[in-house]
Every structure is written in structure tokens, then in C-alpha cells.
Amino acid sequence: MHSKSSTFRTHRAVTTLAALLTGALALSACSGSDDDKKDNGDKSSGAAAGSTVTLPKLNGAHLEVAAVWTGGEQANFKKVLAEFEKRTGAKVTFVPAQDPIINFLGSKIAGGQPPDVALLPQPGAIKQAVDKGWAKPLGAEAQQELAKNYSQGWQDIGKVGGKQYGVYYKAANKSLIWYNAKAFENAGAQEPKTWKDLLTATRAVYDSGVTPFSVAGADGWPLTDWFENVYLSQAGPEKYDQLAQHKIKWTDPSVKQALTTLAELWGKKDYLAGGQKGALQTEFPQSVTQTFTGGDQPKSAMVYEGDFVQVNIGETKAKVGTDAKVFPFPAVGQSAPVVSGGDAAVILKDSKAAQALATFLASPDAATIQAKLGGYLSPNKNVPISAYPNPVQQKIAKALIASGDDFRFDMSDQAPQAFGGTPGKGEWKDLQDFLKNPADVAGAQAKLEKDAAAAYGNGG
């Protein structure tokens, strides 16, 4: 989810989108729908106005598309691929990949069987694919579709050496905390605006007899997202950019402060479903579903992660906007954080069919299909807001498009994959070790710096 354009490093990031989200996300199940429909008359209405991307006939062509998506996310994407098949006559096979996807692709390429297109969840992975000679530049049609539908920042982050290689098909707002509305109501807890407020709400939920948080510690990546939100809000955007590029060390006092702040939650065994040990055995999907099942006694009241949490909520009986509500990640420092991620389609085997698929994925036509299915967010500004299936998701989508280039991309996704994107290694493992023992801040910093220095090839 990694090395990006300076366009994404504007100071407005921490204020513009945060302000939009703060006002937008506190809503009921039926609020905002009329306004949302009215808003489709302007820049968010491209697909609604009937724009359809032109695709060639590809009868007899066969494509393989690799991505790490599983479950509902994979099933929904396959519906997008089915529409491409219907329009072109091509046959598309989805290839399930494993993290780190660069290693997975390397083995496929070594065996002479690379997929035609891969969805890469890190800008750093795009750069690696280019550096290894795997990635092929996008053709004129795909670039034209990108120029029509994407802000300059989202185009730039898919470039390497000035050439366009990636289509950011999927985005994520990773600065959200989802909560069980009934658990909050029973506890008399309020949606927090600041970290102090969050600790107050956490205590109220705990006192009501419900464990406050599910933390997906079995997967290292949610832990990096926790850290990034605290760090961005507390240390500020300049420090965030410096740490993302390893221009400052992980032994920096700002990292100590962020880990110490995280320990205010992670360090309290009773605040985590299953305690630290249980959290380290909890995978991301379970962290969500156990928050929204169990009636008045769920295993937890809150779970942190991005807008894509809705896919997993959809596996429960909870309804987004009524049973499952959301608030922006609280401000730890002066401003609430806004951290984004994304997945880019990159061509590995150049062909008319592969270029056509990249063009389709850059169009509002493709993104609108998946938007309607829920648990998905597109950086494509011409996807109609009404395509998103509920008011919560509509507000998140509106805020992302309104922010333009004003946000910070996921820090771990900017890192070399050996540090920021490999299960059981680097930052993922170091933060799992920290979750296991949140009192050892200095030890965590030392491990993080050692692994970062090795991956970046510098000493900070």
C-alpha cells in the first residue's frame, strides 16, 4: 500500500479533508441522501451523465489479473471484470496473490507465467516493478482516461521517472474508527474529537461492561496504520514526510511520543478484546465482525480501519449508519489525521487487451460498478456520489474527491517493501512485538530503526 509524488505532501492535507470528515460522518441512517443526489449535477456526475468508455473488441483474448484481495472485495472486483468481458469478448481470470505481492510476482515471472495485469497496493511496489523491468507504461487511451477522471496527484503517484505506469483503481480513507452504536448508547459514550476524548469514551465503554477495542494484531498492516494516524496528527506533516523517507531515524523523539501515546490504549489489557495476546491472534476480518455481532454484548465496541471495513460489516446483520457508525480518527495533536492508501493496476504483459483493461479501470464505468457494491472507494472524480450505497460511504467519497491532492499517503506503503509491506518482518513485525509489550518503547524504536536502515540502505 509506498515512494510518491510531492503533490501528496501538502500542509493542507491535515486540515481540509479532516474538517470535511468531522462534519460529514456523524450522520444517521437516512441523512444526506437528497443533498447527495443534487450534488451529482456537477463534477461528481460523469458516469451518471452517461459517459461510457470506448473499448475494443477482444474476442479470443485471455487475461490474468493478480491482486491480494480476498472475500467480498475479490468477489466484487470479479463483477467488474465480468463487465469488461461482456463489453469486449475477452476472458479474464482472477489470480489470487499473496503478500508481499512483489515476491509473488517475482516467482510467477521467474516461472515464465506473469499475470497480464497486477493490482499493486504500494507505490514502492510500482517502483520496484519498474526497476526490475516488469512494468509496462500505459498507452495513450489509458492516459487520456486518467487525465479526464483523476486529480493530478492521483495520476502522479502512479508515475515512475515521469512515465505513467499505474491506474489507481481503488483508494482508502484510513483515518476512521467504526463503532457499535448500541454499545456506545448503553455506555453513554460520545463520538470523540480528540485523543483525550477517545480515552474518555473508551473508559465509559469499559465501565459499561464491554471491551472497548478490537485490534487486528495478527495482521501487521493495521498496526502500521494505527501508528501513522497518531504520528501524523501528533508530529505533523513535515516530520511524517521525513520519517516516510527515512530522513529522520525511528529513534527520533517524535516516534517515542507516538508509541507512548499508542501504549495508552495498547498497554491496557482490559481495553483490548482478548488482551494483547488475543489481539495478536485476531485477523482483520474477525476484528470487524466481532465488533458488530453479539447483540448487547459484542466482543468489542470499536474497531479502527479504513472505509473498506464496510465489506466486513456486510458479513454481519449490522447496518452501516444505524448499528455500525463511524467517526474520524481523533486529533492527537492540533489537527485530525488524514491517511490514504490505494491499489494501482499495472501492466506486466503489454497487449491490446491489457491496455484496454487498464483503460476500463481508469474509467468511471468500472469504478461505479464496484462503488454500488459497497466497501469500496474510488479516487475517480467522475464516479457519481449516488453510486455509493449508503450515506456514510457517500460522505467519505465526497470528502476524498473534495480534498483533491490534499492528503498523506500511507507511510508504510511509501517504504521499501522489506520494511513496510512484508508479513512477519520489518515494521509489521516490530509493531506486533510492541503490541505484545507496549511498555518497551525504546526497544521498539531500536528494532524499527535497525530494520528501516537495512531496507532503505541508509542510516537516517
Side-chain angles (χ1 to χ4, degrees), residues 7-8 10 12-13 16-17 20 43 150-155 171 338 340 378-381 397-408:
T7 315
F8 282 72
T10 62
R12 294 171 293 162
T16 307
L17 185 50
L20 282 161
K43 67 177 182 179
Y150 288 75
S151 73
Q152 191 61 48
W154 280 105
Q155 293 177 60
V338 182
S340 183
S378 174
N380 188 317
K381 63 188 178 185
K398 259 189 186 178
L400 179 73
I401 298 306
S403 73
D405 300 332
D406 294 351
F407 54 91
R408 286 300 191 278

Side-chain angles (χ1 to χ4, degrees), residues 39-373:
D39 281 343
N40 289 335
D42 57 34
K43 67 177 182 179
S44 298
S45 62
S51 68
T52 302
V53 63
T54 301
L55 298 172
K57 288 300 176 188
L58 300 167
N59 295 323
H62 182 266
L63 291 171
E64 288 191 347
V65 179
V68 295
W69 298 332
T70 58
E73 201 167 30
Q74 181 187 125
N76 290 349
F77 182 59
K78 283 181 175 178
K79 292 176 182 175
V80 176
L81 298 179
E83 177 64 18
F84 178 78
E85 290 180 324
K86 180 180 168 186
R87 292 196 192 185
T88 64
K91 173 70 176 168
V92 185
T93 301
F94 182 89
V95 178
Q98 290 87 42
D99 273 321
I101 193 168
I102 283 292
N103 293 2
F104 171 83
L105 294 175
S107 64
K108 298 286 283 185
I109 288 166
Q113 295 181 311
D116 297 87
V117 176
L119 275 295
L120 301 183
Q122 296 98 4
I126 299 176
K127 186 175 186 306
Q128 282 181 276
V130 172
D131 291 346
K132 291 174 182 291
W134 301 346
K136 313 302 179 193
L138 295 180
E141 292 83 1
Q143 291 192 53
Q144 285 167 12
E145 203 64 26
L146 275 176
K148 276 195 301 187
N149 301 316
Y150 288 75
S151 73
Q152 191 61 48
W154 280 105
Q155 293 177 60
D156 288 349
I157 207 167
K159 291 180 180 177
V160 178
K163 286 187 179 179
Q164 193 78 51
Y165 288 92
V167 170
Y168 268 89
Y169 171 71
K170 184 177 186 294
N173 180 317
K174 292 188 164 193
S175 296
L176 303 170
I177 294 180
W178 300 81
Y179 68 96
N180 184 310
K182 192 69 176 173
F184 256 50
E185 182 185 336
N186 291 344
Q190 303 296 315
E191 289 190 0
K193 299 285 194 299
T194 67
W195 185 260
K196 184 180 177 183
D197 294 344
L198 179 63
L199 295 178
T200 300
T202 298
R203 182 72 201 191
V205 168
Y206 172 73
D207 287 344
S208 76
V210 175
T211 303
F213 270 100
S214 274
V215 174
D219 302 311
W221 59 268
L223 305 185
T224 71
D225 293 345
W226 266 103
F227 171 81
E228 288 158 10
N229 276 276
V230 170
Y231 190 83
L232 176 57
S233 181
Q234 193 172 60
E238 293 88 353
K239 284 270 192 184
Y240 184 95
D241 294 342
Q242 289 168 4
L243 189 61
Q245 298 166 51
H246 202 224
K247 290 183 176 176
I248 58 174
K249 295 185 178 183
W250 284 80
T251 48
D252 190 84
S254 61
V255 177
K256 177 182 179 180
Q257 187 181 18
L259 292 174
T260 302
T261 299
L262 271 178
E264 292 175 355
L265 282 180
W266 292 4
K268 290 187 167 55
K269 178 183 173 184
D270 293 342
Y271 281 3
L272 309 180
Q276 288 89 353
K277 186 176 179 181
L280 286 164
Q281 296 171 346
T282 302
E283 295 180 341
F284 168 66
Q286 181 192 351
S287 74
V288 178
T289 54
Q290 71 184 16
T291 303
F292 299 104
T293 52
D296 284 349
Q297 285 295 313
K299 288 195 174 177
S300 66
M302 291 176 275
V303 61
Y304 157 72
E305 252 312 335
D307 56 281
F308 44 84
V309 161
Q310 289 173 97
V311 170
N312 306 93
I313 294 174
E315 295 168 8
T316 74
K317 293 179 180 177
K319 284 189 167 43
V320 171
T322 49
D323 310 307
K325 295 189 177 181
V326 64
F327 55 84
F329 199 98
V332 187
Q334 291 186 341
S335 303
V338 182
V339 177
S340 183
D343 298 85
V346 174
I347 294 171
L348 302 180
K349 283 172 66 177
D350 202 0
S351 66
K352 183 179 179 181
Q355 291 286 355
L357 180 58
T359 302
F360 181 59
L361 294 178
S363 76
D365 300 26
T368 298
I369 294 167
Q370 195 154 347
K372 288 178 178 177
L373 298 170

